[in-house]
Amino acid sequence: MRQGLICAAGHDSGSRTFLPFVKEQIVADVETLQQDYLAQIANADLAALEEIRIAALGKQGAITGLLKTLGSMSPEERQEQGPRINGAREAVTSAIAARKDALESAALNERLAAEAIDLTLPVAPSPQGSVHPVAQVMDELAEIFADLGFAVATGPEIESGWYNFTALNMPETHPARAMHDTFYFPDRNADGEEMLLRTHTSPVQIRTMMGQKPPIRIIAPGRTYRSDSDATHTPMFHQVEGLVIDRGITMAHLKWTLETFVRAFFERDDIVLRLRPSYFPFTEPSAEVDVGFTVEKGKRVVGGDPTGPNGGWMEILGSGMVNPKVIEHCGLDPDEWQGFAFGCGIDRLAMLKYGMDDLRAFFDGDLRWLKHYGFSSLDVPTLSGGVGA
């Protein structure tokens, strides 16, 4: 197969030497050259295709050389031979582009076939996180109380002494205000008030009553801080408090709400509650709430007969009717508005429900513990499916 154009002097065009042609030689050589290149292009791979392009259309290419001869032709010859030479150039250019597209498309299809993913194979395992039991219990509480008409309220974790103590009817001499029980900041705020890490989420109740008109039904979950640390206490822990403010609220409403909550949370209908008289400065009257339990396989299980041989009572939360002084501090008339409040540790609820023994493990960050007690991110609590699903 010829590799170049035969010139009038009898030299091969690969030498890049072009001499004046007679018209008949140009016509024959252009057509032959075009057919030769088209035949080569049809069987070339990508590498050979680039070599053909350079040989035909490069600066020293055969067809480029023919185009250069147009300048030495007479106007009549140029008018006749120009279209033929340009036609050859366009034909070769188009053939190279088409062949290149076909080769690249074939290479892509071959690669796709070789790299195909078998969707019938199982997915390779990858590391997965889990939902912490505290976060899971918070979601469960929100789901249960939302069904009872409660909203979720939040507030700052750094509070002033007025919101954390004074508004809640805690005098300056109250033990909870002592330095060994509370984390205080060295600086005071712009109003000269002492600042501290909140010891409970009760300040959220104060802020809600001051910023929202009754009736009010909220729960306030969140982090709280106290200077305490042992197997059942940590300096930082999680608490949820509930508040209802309305007309005609009584202890009967409180007891029904707590029974409904505890039975839904532990998913048992045989749970019995016992309210014992107690004292909290922000509620009057106040009551400690005990839940009945039985011992099954050496562990306490909430529910069953607390008066039986394997039964008993354990405290789970504090509650009471909101003290009229607290209602007054929030700008409401205690003769018109009454309410009840309750609070319990979220960490303790998680320990009781899911059989955990040491509260300190909640904050160790041990992956083995988290894998054992953690929940899937898809295990969203629902009352219909079971809040602890």
Side-chain angles (χ1 to χ4, degrees):
M1 186 174 292
R2 78 187 268 148
Q3 299 297 319
L5 174 66
I6 302 300
C7 301
H11 298 289
D12 184 74
S13 64
S15 65
R16 306 294 184 260
T17 301
F18 297 93
L19 301 177
F21 299 132
V22 296
K23 181 169 61 174
E24 291 78 8
Q25 290 175 315
I26 294 176
V27 174
D29 287 337
V30 168
E31 293 177 352
T32 303
L33 186 64
Q34 177 179 330
Q35 295 304 319
D36 283 351
Y37 277 129
L38 293 180
Q40 293 179 46
I41 291 169
N43 298 304
D45 57 20
L46 285 172
L49 202 62
E50 179 64 12
E51 293 179 1
I52 295 171
R53 186 192 68 79
I54 295 173
L57 304 172
K59 290 184 178 181
Q60 302 298 324
I63 295 178
T64 304
L66 283 175
L67 290 170
K68 292 178 181 179
T69 65
L70 292 174
S72 61
M73 294 181 185
S74 65
E76 293 77 12
E77 291 176 330
R78 190 182 304 119
Q79 185 176 5
E80 181 179 355
Q81 302 304 327
R84 289 191 176 92
I85 298 174
N86 283 315
R89 181 186 62 176
E90 293 175 2
V92 172
T93 301
S94 299
I96 291 175
R99 179 61 176 170
K100 183 178 180 181
D101 289 344
L103 291 172
E104 290 178 343
S105 178
L108 177 60
N109 291 334
E110 183 179 352
R111 180 182 174 188
L112 291 175
E115 297 178 359
I117 299 175
D118 187 351
L119 298 179
T120 64
L121 292 175
V123 178
S126 59
Q128 292 183 341
S130 58
V131 177
H132 195 283
V134 170
Q136 177 75 10
V137 170
M138 281 188 175
D139 289 343
E140 294 175 14
L141 296 174
E143 177 70 16
I144 292 170
F145 281 103
D147 192 60
L148 298 176
F150 285 67
V152 176
T154 59
E157 295 180 16
I158 298 177
E159 279 288 8
S160 68
W162 190 87
Y163 282 104
N164 197 80
F165 295 124
T166 306
L168 291 163
N169 197 39
M170 292 186 180
E172 294 288 340
T173 56
H174 194 279
R177 302 183 78 143
M179 293 291 292
H180 59 78
D181 282 335
T182 302
F183 294 106
Y184 285 92
F185 288 92
D187 300 325
R188 294 175 176 262
N189 64 11
D191 297 326
E193 297 177 307
E194 57 190 4
M195 301 300 293
L196 50 92
L197 293 175
R198 65 183 184 186
T199 59
H200 42 198
T201 58
S202 299
V204 179
Q205 299 184 32
I206 301 299
R207 292 179 178 275
T208 301
M209 283 190 283
M210 294 179 67
Q212 177 180 331
K213 293 182 179 180
I216 296 171
R217 288 175 177 80
I218 63 162
I219 59 169
R223 286 186 291 264
T224 54
Y225 307 85
R226 295 178 190 175
S227 184
D228 200 357
S229 182
D230 55 41
T232 57
H233 299 84
T234 56
M236 187 276 289
F237 58 100
H238 299 83
Q239 189 179 57
V240 61
E241 296 191 9
L243 173 69
V244 171
I245 299 292
D246 206 338
R247 295 183 179 92
I249 298 298
T250 68
M251 287 288 288
H253 298 112
L254 169 63
K255 186 173 185 293
W256 178 88
T257 300
L258 295 179
E259 286 178 341
T260 303
F261 153 59
V262 173
R263 288 170 181 169
F265 179 74
F266 289 103
E267 301 179 75
R268 295 188 60 158
D269 294 327
D270 60 347
I271 291 178
V272 181
L273 296 185
R274 180 179 69 178
L275 275 65
R276 291 182 291 105
S278 184
Y279 168 75
F280 303 109
F282 34 82
T283 54
E284 180 61 37
S286 304
E288 298 277 6
V289 180
D290 301 332
V291 63
F293 71 88
T294 54
V295 178
E296 299 178 7
K297 298 179 180 180
K299 290 188 175 183
R300 289 183 178 183
V301 177
V302 174
D305 183 7
T307 62
N310 295 322
W313 300 93
M314 59 181 167
E315 176 190 337
I316 59 168
L317 54 86
S319 65
M321 300 297 294
V322 179
N323 194 306
K325 293 182 179 180
V326 174
I327 296 177
E328 286 182 351
H329 283 150
C330 297
L332 300 176
D333 183 0
D335 292 331
E336 179 181 5
W337 302 103
Q338 303 80 43
F340 63 78
F342 58 88
C344 59
I346 295 176
D347 315 290
R348 179 168 173 76
L349 289 177
M351 293 174 68
L352 289 174
K353 183 172 182 177
Y354 296 112
M356 305 163 192
D357 300 323
D358 193 336
L359 181 60
R360 292 169 293 192
F362 279 58
F363 312 105
D364 285 343
D366 190 327
L367 288 178
R368 296 168 300 176
W369 187 90
L370 291 172
K371 288 180 179 179
H372 180 73
Y373 288 110
F375 293 82
S376 168
S377 58
L378 300 178
D379 289 338
V380 180
T382 61
L383 290 179
S384 59
V387 291

